Amino acid sequence: MKILLVEDEVLIALEQQLYLENVGHSIIGPAITATEAVEIAAADKPDLALVDVHLGMGTNGIDAARGLTKLGVPCLFITSFRDELKKDGPLTGIGCLPKPFTESGLIAAVDAARAILAGETPRNVPQTMELFV
């Protein structure tokens, strides 16, 4: 899958990139603001976006996910701020994997998202992952 990282913490983005490239995914980004995420997605058409809630320059991942969804890019939240996803109206996205995550947890969460997008029942969903669909 081609995956857009929407994450303002460079070390976390590098960790995600390393884990996902090691299992064959193609990574674009990271985008550090909501605007940058939408611009990158419009140009590169990712299959999935991994989105943090708190982004750089006062922007947030909820707004990024709304913009990405309008472009047809499904989103999976990867965040420490899961509660903030529920206070802003209807949830946009496939689900949420809380930080901190493990390598196996991130890979399994992306695989669950891939299965959902393919119309399949996800297997091996991480225990900490919350699905919205």
Side-chain angles (χ1 to χ4, degrees):
M1 292 181 82
K2 185 191 301 186
I3 301 173
L4 170 61
L5 302 181
V6 184
E7 172 63 67
D8 65 326
E9 300 280 340
V10 175
L11 292 178
I12 293 172
L14 287 172
E15 179 182 33
Q16 290 175 341
Q17 180 175 355
L18 174 70
Y19 294 164
L20 295 170
E21 285 181 343
N22 280 343
V23 294
H25 296 290
S26 173
I27 303 302
I28 55 176
I32 63 169
T33 67
T35 301
E36 186 179 15
V38 172
E39 289 171 354
I40 291 172
D44 287 334
K45 307 289 188 242
D47 302 310
L48 177 68
L50 303 184
V51 183
D52 188 17
V53 169
H54 288 181
L55 298 175
M57 300 179 66
T59 63
N60 71 66
I62 297 167
D63 291 337
R66 288 184 182 130
L68 292 167
T69 299
K70 287 179 184 174
L71 293 174
V73 179
C75 299
L76 174 62
F77 289 98
I78 311 286
T79 186
S80 301
F81 301 97
R82 185 189 312 210
D83 294 342
E84 292 186 28
L85 296 173
K86 297 177 182 176
K87 71 178 187 180
D88 232 9
L91 295 172
T92 299
I94 295 169
C96 179
L97 180 69
K99 291 178 185 174
F101 53 82
T102 63
E103 179 177 2
S104 61
L106 180 65
I107 292 166
V110 168
D111 190 55
R114 183 214 48 79
I116 290 167
L117 294 172
E120 302 167 3
T121 301
R123 297 171 290 148
N124 201 21
V125 176
Q127 286 185 330
T128 58
M129 183 178 180
E130 179 180 0
L131 295 175
F132 303 155
V133 293

